[in-house]
Amino acid sequence: MLGSAWYPEQWPETRWDADLALMQQGGFKMVRIGEFAWSSLEPSEGKFDLDWMERAISAAAAHGIVTIIGTPTDAPPAWLTSKYPETLRVAEGGQRMEHGMRRQFSYSSAKYRELCRLMVEQLAKRFGHNPNVIAWQIDNEYTEDSFDDESRGLWHRWLEAKYGSLGQLNQQWMTAYWSQTYSAWDQIPMNTGRNNPGLLLDYKRFVTDEWRGFQKNQLDVLRRYVEPRQLITTNLGGLGWANRFNRRVIAGDLDIIGWDPYVGQGHFDYQRIGATHDLVRGWRRQNFWVLEMQPGFVDWAGVSNSLNKGETRAMMWNAVGHGADCVSFWQWRAGLNGQEQYHGVLVGADGQPVPMYDEIAQAGAEFAKVGAAIAGTSPEAQVAILHDYDSRWSIDFHKQTNRWDNVDVLMSYYRPLHDLAQSVDIVDPTFSLDRYKLVVAPGLIVMSPELAKHLTDYVEQGGHLVLGPRSGMMNEFNALNPERQPGPLVAALGGRVEQFYALLEDAPVAGKWGNGSATIWAERLSTKTADAEVVMRYGKSNGWLDGEPAAITRKIGRGTITYAGALFDARLTRAMTASLLEASGVAPAPLAVPEGVEVCRRIGGGRTVFIVLNFSNADQAIALPRAMRDLLAGGETSRVVLPRYGVAVLSENGGAQ
Ligand code: GAL
């Protein structure tokens, strides 16, 4: 499904039909409306005007276009802000927001939530059975937490509910340190500076729960009034990797997840954004919707450069390859005034298509052509990377080296895994892992006894678990695990970390996976049982590491647990990955392709569909292992030639219908 954000309230109604006709012509099947339209939907308190929205939905339907309604709560109207200043957000520095921007509300304000509920109730009652409304988007891009007194009070109550007694909290946070011991709940600060690590981790969990509550407030209303056929989603922004709160938890309450893969400055990195799609898909283990994509360029980057001709279409197909069932653009046409005049659009200020329109319309026609073959299919992987918000936060609170970037570390494993296996899942460590032959855990620093048991069970039942550096250093309170790393997994591993080192200079390493260097971070390991094997050793470096184990492995039950104590250079990481894939019996990549060519595979309903994309600078010829149906070009083929940004959609087993 191809779609676009459309703001009918910003345009004379006489213009709507021309826009919708252009959408229909371009293959657009969906509009996303309403998410900033509160002042048009409730011009004054309690006076609702929903008629224009009903007319807009009908006008779209007349062009074969369905609607996703966004609840307008990301942009409260001026009457609300001025009448209820207690709903305004307060920044960490104490500054209260004003009107004129969006997101000026406090997510925990009871009054704001009440006003949201009343607004959403009107919409849900009116459109909850409208046949042309297919989904609801709650709010838009939950972003800012608030440091107002109401939020602070809720934080204290949240801690009280979690710990029961101050004694417990003082113990788990070890507040004797720097005289932090608390004797009343309201003494506990709410700030995100260099605070107690236990407090910082709990604060992130509190923020997650507050957003979850903010969402539930609207979700309950929608569930009450709208048909289950109308799916409930939200639009998670912030470039996917954002970690202001735990997005997996937020996703868990919805019917389908939506997100925004913006590029901003630069060009499309198919692996980094592809990995983000995999992360998003992993939150619910389900296909997802791309609710916003930039039509060429944005207006907020350092340099808001345009993607090259052809790059946007390739980005659309990359999203589909990773599990998107909808790609929607932001936005259709720039408001003549308002904050985002410069942003990429489909239609210019004059109401005529801009150059990008044709490229997106081409993809729209392609989506229509192959939609039936792709429907009901999803990516499937035998390999997973574990992604854990607690661990990312814990490392971000104290990095020890500014050379460590959690997403870069995850990507250093993802790139070779994706090249070699062509399908990778990114999932929460608590999920069931039995479907995977290989599980890689980069930087899984927060390791509770329960998580250690879950991972050990996976290994004993035949899984291959690879822990990266920094694993298992902390418990669930972000306190140091007294066993040293990997904490409660030391016994299963039959070894441990003797000491960690933040590296300024690379250290040589050599062993079973080849030769190369350890970079950024290196841990000196030791084995504690005779059956634990040293796989890699450091060469001469800082003296402490010289000759010491850099990676160890041990078979337990029917599986293997491996600890790689350093970040290796890209070549060595690739060699390590190849070795691990082979050892764990992961099926080899189904298509052999040159570097810079991406293969995505969606499986379902007895069909396998390959989406092959050329992101290299030159034409590439790809020989297929057997004849496949070329769904875009038509006919059978055993060889495809793709220009730069070229796309082939190939199917086996009945994909032709
Ligand atoms: C998104 C937001 C949209 C629009 C867009 C511009 O983050 O959801 O409303 O502002 O950015 O790139």
Side-chain angles (χ1 to χ4, degrees):
M1 183 168 69
L2 174 64
S4 180
W6 179 47
Y7 300 101
E9 73 277 16
Q10 296 170 9
W11 300 98
E13 217 166 310
T14 47
R15 169 68 206 188
W16 291 359
D17 204 60
D19 278 313
L20 292 162
L22 277 170
M23 287 184 206
Q24 183 174 20
Q25 206 178 304
F28 287 80
K29 306 278 188 220
M30 179 273 279
V31 282
R32 197 174 136 253
I33 67 172
E35 82 273 17
F36 302 114
W38 199 333
S39 67
S40 305
L41 292 165
E42 191 181 0
S44 59
E45 188 170 9
K47 298 260 176 308
F48 295 95
D49 178 6
L50 277 53
D51 295 347
W52 65 266
M53 188 177 259
E54 175 128 30
R55 292 195 299 277
I57 294 169
S58 304
H63 288 273
I65 295 173
V66 296
T67 297
I68 298 179
I69 299 180
T71 70
T73 54
D74 200 20
W79 61 257
L80 191 159
T81 314
S82 45
K83 182 162 176 202
Y84 303 107
E86 72 272 28
T87 64
L88 286 170
R89 180 165 66 80
V90 173
E92 187 160 1
Q95 192 196 356
R96 195 171 272 278
M97 298 297 119
E98 284 183 37
H99 204 81
M101 296 286 288
R102 55 183 170 183
R103 291 177 196 160
Q104 69 268 35
F105 64 90
S106 163
Y107 66 162
S108 46
S109 158
K111 185 71 200 175
Y112 192 63
R113 289 189 185 186
E114 178 197 323
L115 293 161
C116 290
R117 205 157 52 233
L118 293 172
M119 176 71 252
V120 175
E121 203 171 69
Q122 294 290 323
L123 288 169
K125 282 182 177 164
R126 179 78 170 259
F127 302 114
H129 298 275
N130 187 309
N132 299 309
V133 174
I134 59 154
W136 294 81
Q137 173 192 310
I138 297 176
D139 202 79
N140 183 65
E141 295 190 342
Y142 311 139
T143 308
E144 305 278 358
D145 42 330
S146 180
F147 294 81
D148 58 283
D149 289 344
E150 194 174 349
S151 298
R152 203 173 291 274
L154 291 166
W155 161 236
H156 294 144
R157 261 173 275 152
W158 186 94
L159 289 169
E160 196 172 352
K162 172 165 179 171
Y163 289 97
S165 73
L166 282 164
Q168 263 299 319
L169 178 143
N170 283 322
Q171 187 192 327
Q172 301 297 0
W173 292 5
M174 210 195 241
T175 50
Y177 208 87
W178 288 356
S179 244
Q180 290 167 56
T181 313
Y182 299 111
S183 54
W185 295 101
D186 62 10
Q187 293 167 353
I188 301 172
M190 185 168 79
N191 62 51
T192 62
R194 193 173 181 193
N195 215 312
N196 179 291
L199 177 149
L200 292 175
L201 188 56
D202 275 335
Y203 180 68
K204 285 291 194 186
R205 293 161 171 158
F206 165 74
V207 171
T208 302
D209 283 352
E210 280 306 300
W211 276 121
R212 193 175 182 202
F214 178 86
Q215 173 171 275
K216 186 173 186 306
N217 179 53
Q218 299 189 31
L219 190 61
D220 287 348
V221 177
L222 292 171
R223 292 257 184 254
R224 177 152 172 226
Y225 293 107
V226 313
E227 291 174 4
R229 171 190 64 79
Q230 297 181 338
L231 302 180
I232 303 176
T233 185
T234 192
N235 179 35
L236 289 170
L239 307 176
W241 295 109
N243 63 354
R244 285 166 173 263
F245 52 88
N246 184 324
R247 294 159 168 247
R248 198 253 313 151
V249 166
I250 297 295
D253 293 337
L254 301 166
D255 297 331
I256 186 159
I257 200 71
W259 85 286
D260 300 343
Y262 281 100
V263 174
Q265 179 170 326
H267 286 274
F268 180 63
D269 175 342
Y270 71 95
Q271 288 187 318
R272 195 167 170 113
I273 292 209
T276 324
H277 288 311
D278 293 342
L279 169 81
V280 170
R281 192 181 71 248
W283 291 333
R284 297 184 54 82
R285 283 190 150 147
Q286 193 188 60
N287 287 1
F288 56 90
W289 289 347
V290 166
L291 288 176
E292 295 183 11
M293 194 179 263
Q294 66 191 59
F297 52 90
V298 299
D299 68 336
W300 45 258
V303 178
S304 295
N305 65 290
S306 178
L307 298 178
N308 293 337
K309 193 166 185 211
E311 202 173 356
T312 303
R313 170 174 164 259
M315 179 163 82
M316 295 167 75
W317 275 110
N318 161 275
V320 175
H322 286 264
D325 282 341
C326 159
V327 175
S328 184
F329 281 86
W330 198 93
Q331 64 164 323
W332 176 251
R333 181 178 178 185
L336 298 181
N337 217 324
Q339 275 89 328
E340 297 173 293
Q341 294 161 308
Y342 280 82
H343 202 281
V345 288
L346 278 296
V347 160
D350 63 349
Q352 297 303 311
V354 297
M356 176 57 77
Y357 174 92
D358 287 341
E359 182 172 325
I360 295 172
Q362 180 190 347
E366 291 166 349
F367 282 8
K369 195 166 180 184
V370 305
I374 287 179
T377 63
S378 292
E380 274 180 21
Q382 297 183 336
V383 180
I385 294 181
L386 302 183
H387 173 273
D388 176 46
Y389 284 96
D390 281 355
S391 292
R392 269 183 66 193
W393 292 326
S394 174
I395 294 177
D396 283 344
F397 298 149
H398 189 97
K399 288 196 180 192
Q400 189 71 2
T401 165
N402 57 17
R403 300 179 70 203
W404 181 288
D405 176 286
N406 281 311
V407 178
D408 288 348
V409 168
L410 186 148
M411 285 307 302
S412 73
Y413 297 101
Y414 180 91
R415 289 183 197 279
L417 280 172
H418 182 254
D419 275 349
L420 297 168
Q422 293 179 352
S423 281
V424 180
D425 279 358
I426 301 181
V427 293
D428 193 85
T430 59
F431 284 13
S432 99
L433 301 172
D434 23 305
R435 69 184 70 177
Y436 304 115
K437 294 190 168 158
L438 177 64
V439 168
V440 179
L444 189 57
I445 198 168
V446 175
M447 184 78 64
S448 66
E450 296 75 32
L451 179 58
K453 160 121 187 26
H454 175 64
L455 296 175
T456 311
D457 288 350
Y458 162 72
V459 175
E460 281 177 342
Q461 285 151 25
H464 292 250
L465 174 68
V466 183
L467 300 165
R470 303 183 87 144
S471 293
M473 185 170 175
M474 306 294 183
N475 71 9
E476 65 275 34
F477 300 99
N478 212 17
L480 293 169
N481 265 323
E483 303 94 330
R484 300 207 195 157
Q485 295 166 249
L489 282 174
V490 166
L493 179 66
R496 70 173 196 182
V497 174
E498 294 300 321
Q499 186 57 272
F500 56 82
Y501 301 93
L503 298 183
L504 210 45
E505 295 97 25
D506 288 358
V509 268
K512 192 175 150 192
W513 296 329
N515 298 333
S517 43
T519 177
I520 299 175
W521 192 269
E523 292 167 347
R524 168 172 158 172
L525 309 183
S526 67
T527 54
K528 298 285 174 216
T529 56
D531 57 350
E533 183 197 331
V534 176
V535 187
M536 300 291 289
R537 279 187 193 275
Y538 298 102
K540 201 167 166 33
S541 59
N542 65 359
W544 304 109
L545 291 165
D546 300 8
E548 299 292 342
I552 60 178
T553 190
R554 183 177 181 226
K555 292 193 182 346
I556 53 163
R558 291 190 283 128
T560 307
I561 176 167
T562 302
Y563 192 105
L567 296 179
F568 299 130
D569 66 77
R571 203 176 45 84
L572 184 56
T573 306
R574 197 181 166 95
M576 168 182 95
T577 306
S579 165
L580 293 167
L581 285 167
E582 199 192 326
S584 52
V586 174
L591 304 187
V593 289
E595 209 184 314
V597 172
E598 179 179 35
V599 176
C600 304
R601 188 181 45 171
R602 294 181 48 145
I603 299 174
R607 298 188 301 273
T608 299
V609 179
F610 291 100
I611 294 166
V612 188
L613 296 153
N614 180 7
F615 291 103
S616 74
N617 287 334
D619 289 5
Q620 299 289 354
I622 297 130
L624 305 176
R626 54 204 165 269
M628 294 187 189
R629 211 166 157 78
D630 187 331
L631 296 182
L632 293 182
E636 292 258 319
T637 184
S638 50
R639 183 171 182 270
V640 286
V641 180
L642 295 177
R644 186 180 195 196
Y645 304 130
V647 181
V649 184
L650 307 164
S651 90
E652 292 187 297
N653 318 330
Q657 315 90 332

